[in-house]
Amino acid sequence: MPALKTLMLTRIGNPLKKISEVAFNSSSLTTLQMSLNSFHFDRTSSSRVFEYCPDIEHLDLSHNILPRNLSLFKAILRPLSNLRKLILENCGITVIPEMLFTPFKKIWSLGLSRNKIFYWENLFVNVTSLTMLDLSVNSISVINQTSFPPEVLFSLKKLNLGSNPLSCTCEQLWFLNWTKYHLNKVVNFANYKCNHPIDMDGLLLSNYHPTVENCTPWSPVNTIIIGVAGSGAFIVLIIVLIVRCQSNIKNYIYLFRVTYNKRRGYLILDNDENFEYNAFVVYCEADRDWVHTKFIQRVENEEGLKLCIHHRDFEIGQPIIGNINKFVEKSRKVVVIMSNDFAKSEWCQWEVDVVQEKRRRIGRDVFLLVMLKKIDSKHMTSHLRALLASGHHIKYSNGVGEDLFWRAVVEGLKNL
């Protein structure tokens, strides 16, 4: 029947027990009426019942049993992309698959009456062509803001929720407020009744008037929660600030100690005739670029201090340990540029040991410790821990706080 458009198969089979996979192999069929057949779609072995009639526009499957298997439910209807009107009344539906109707871009009428539907999620996403929706005689208790997308509520002209066990509770507040502006869209709203709580059973929904104030009562618990949350947020903010400004805080502490020592009688040494260099600098090869382009530039060229740099100042041909001993004696202080690469270098560790021995012989604290880059715990040796424990160190900070770092370096080199 190549020209068949409408097919009525109501009350057949008593009940209908089987539908062949290619029973509806018709490219011309647009209307299929299959109500009152008690056919168990949940027992069919195939989801391809409607695969060969993709042009159906009106489909009525009322009084048949649709599958509880959500994947099968969705697969049976998936080929019907041209659906405009779908009736699934009294089909034993409890749960509907998410986005079941989204592929039906032309659908304007949905009949889901007389089922056991009580909840759905993301069911009407992008179903913007829908104008008629019948959800009467189900198990729906609450309609809230997530029940329907705004674009679907805008396109709807008739919404039937009659004979559902609606709740007269604050959860219904959104729906009641929506009906004030769209009452013309709700079918027979005047007859909607409350089913629970028990003391409101039988009350007309239109006579239930909750307010935002009544539904959001203030309690001491709220005060406690807000107080605790506020205190927690403040503590977190303080911790974040401390973590982010950790290097600046350390540098401020260092400057405070320098100032404090000056007040207690430690004076700036204006006469450095006994020392050829203001400081002997210990660093690793990996940090050489920073030392030469940043540290020397700032300390020597801008501040006028003189540094002993082994790459530049050591005497060629002399033993390393001899050079170190000689130039440490010529330097008023020792600057140690520490980093993860520094911690991994055995040579740097040895050089620090030599310098520390020299410091012990001099009998005074001559170290200025600079943390250029954070040292991983696995590379932190006992010698480095002892060095760090012997006095405060300053941390290099690029960007915000960099001026404070250089100020701490200069103050540390100029003062004892």
Side-chain angles (χ1 to χ4, degrees):
M1 295 183 235
L4 181 66
K5 291 187 175 296
T6 301
L7 180 59
M8 311 282 288
L9 295 174
T10 302
R11 298 180 186 275
I12 62 170
N14 193 29
L16 181 62
K17 293 185 178 180
K18 183 179 180 181
I19 300 177
S20 170
E21 198 172 87
V22 292
F24 302 115
N25 186 2
S26 172
S27 58
S28 61
L29 193 62
T30 59
T31 300
L32 177 59
Q33 169 63 262
M34 282 191 62
S35 63
L36 299 164
N37 290 319
S38 300
F39 179 69
H40 278 261
F41 283 92
D42 55 337
R43 294 176 186 172
T44 181
S45 59
S46 174
S47 61
R48 305 172 66 183
V49 174
F50 301 117
E51 185 170 338
Y52 302 101
C53 50
D55 291 328
I56 288 182
E57 296 178 0
H58 296 173
L59 177 63
D60 186 353
L61 297 179
S62 300
H63 296 268
N64 291 286
I65 311 301
L66 285 168
R68 292 189 178 184
N69 183 313
L70 300 184
S71 298
L72 179 59
F73 191 161
K74 204 168 186 176
I76 288 172
L77 296 178
R78 186 180 294 121
L80 305 173
S81 57
N82 286 308
L83 272 180
R84 296 173 185 268
K85 184 175 182 179
L86 176 62
I87 304 175
L88 301 176
E89 294 182 2
N90 201 2
C91 291
I93 302 171
T94 302
V95 180
I96 312 180
E98 290 188 23
M99 303 179 72
L100 174 65
F101 306 120
T102 301
F104 308 145
K105 303 300 181 183
K106 301 176 184 178
I107 196 161
W108 62 270
S109 178
L110 269 175
L112 297 168
S113 178
R114 300 182 183 279
N115 285 290
K116 300 174 183 177
I117 301 168
F118 65 95
Y119 168 80
W120 61 85
E121 187 172 350
N122 298 324
L123 180 58
F124 300 101
V125 175
N126 293 329
V127 191
T128 54
S129 60
L130 191 63
T131 59
M132 310 286 290
L133 177 59
D134 187 357
L135 284 165
S136 61
V137 199
N138 274 283
S139 301
I140 301 167
S141 61
V142 173
I143 299 294
N144 57 35
Q145 198 166 4
T146 63
S147 299
F148 305 101
E151 60 272 18
V152 174
L153 288 173
F154 179 79
S155 66
L156 272 178
K157 294 182 179 179
K158 295 296 178 184
L159 173 62
N160 192 349
L161 294 166
S163 300
N164 275 288
L166 299 172
S167 293
C168 281
T169 62
C170 287
E171 294 178 288
Q172 211 73 266
L173 181 61
W174 178 87
F175 178 62
L176 289 169
N177 288 335
W178 182 79
T179 59
K180 291 178 183 178
Y181 303 97
H182 304 282
L183 189 59
N184 61 316
K185 294 188 176 186
V186 185
V187 178
N188 296 324
F189 179 73
N191 295 325
Y192 290 10
K193 292 183 178 180
C194 304
N195 186 263
H196 48 82
I198 296 175
D199 59 332
M200 292 189 182
D201 187 15
L203 177 70
L204 290 175
L205 187 62
S206 58
N207 291 333
Y208 175 57
H209 303 292
T211 63
V212 174
E213 292 75 17
N214 293 336
C215 290
T216 53
W218 193 260
S219 71
V221 175
N222 294 337
T223 304
I224 295 172
I225 291 173
I226 292 174
V228 171
S231 301
F234 179 75
I235 292 171
V236 169
L237 177 63
I238 295 298
I239 292 173
V240 169
L241 288 174
I242 290 173
V243 171
R244 291 181 65 88
C245 303
Q246 185 180 14
S247 58
N248 292 340
I249 293 171
K250 285 183 176 294
N251 295 345
Y252 271 121
I253 292 173
Y254 182 85
L255 281 173
F256 173 77
R257 291 180 70 250
V258 170
T259 304
Y260 177 74
N261 288 336
K262 286 170 62 178
R263 290 177 179 175
R264 293 190 62 188
Y266 293 94
L267 302 176
I268 298 174
L269 297 181
D270 295 320
N271 186 1
D272 285 339
E273 293 179 357
N274 294 331
F275 299 101
E276 184 178 340
Y277 301 96
N278 291 92
F280 180 91
V281 184
V282 180
Y283 61 95
C284 73
E285 186 64 27
D287 300 324
R288 180 177 179 177
D289 183 64
W290 182 86
V291 171
H292 284 254
T293 60
K294 292 263 190 180
F295 196 76
I296 296 176
Q297 169 69 24
R298 184 63 180 257
V299 174
E300 289 193 340
N301 298 349
E302 297 185 22
E303 300 296 338
L305 301 176
K306 189 175 181 181
L307 301 173
C308 179
I309 308 296
H310 63 266
H311 286 91
R312 179 188 66 187
D313 300 314
F314 275 14
E315 295 177 356
I316 299 174
Q318 296 297 319
I320 291 293
I321 192 165
N323 267 320
I324 292 176
N325 287 330
K326 179 179 180 179
F327 284 96
V328 166
E329 288 182 359
K330 291 183 177 183
S331 304
R332 186 156 62 87
K333 282 212 161 189
V334 176
V335 178
V336 181
I337 310 295
M338 295 179 291
S339 66
N340 208 40
D341 292 304
F342 182 93
K344 291 188 288 185
S345 169
E346 293 183 4
W347 165 259
C348 291
Q349 302 291 319
W350 176 82
E351 193 172 3
V352 168
D353 288 343
V354 172
V355 174
Q356 279 187 306
E357 179 60 31
K358 186 68 176 178
R359 181 192 69 170
R360 283 190 285 270
R361 290 203 303 271
I362 293 173
R364 57 188 173 88
D365 188 2
V366 295
F367 273 85
L368 174 62
L369 306 178
V370 175
M371 185 66 73
L372 177 61
K373 300 172 186 174
K374 184 179 179 181
I375 299 175
D376 293 341
S377 58
K378 63 182 178 181
H379 298 135
M380 184 66 73
T381 64
S382 59
H383 293 286
L384 279 178
R385 286 194 179 92
L387 183 63
L388 289 170
S390 66
H392 287 279
H393 65 275
I394 54 178
K395 297 185 71 173
Y396 176 66
S397 190
N398 189 17
V400 177
E402 188 170 2
D403 289 340
L404 175 63
F405 167 78
W406 292 117
R407 181 180 158 201
V409 169
V410 173
E411 288 292 326
L413 291 176
K414 287 182 177 180
N415 297 279
L416 285 177

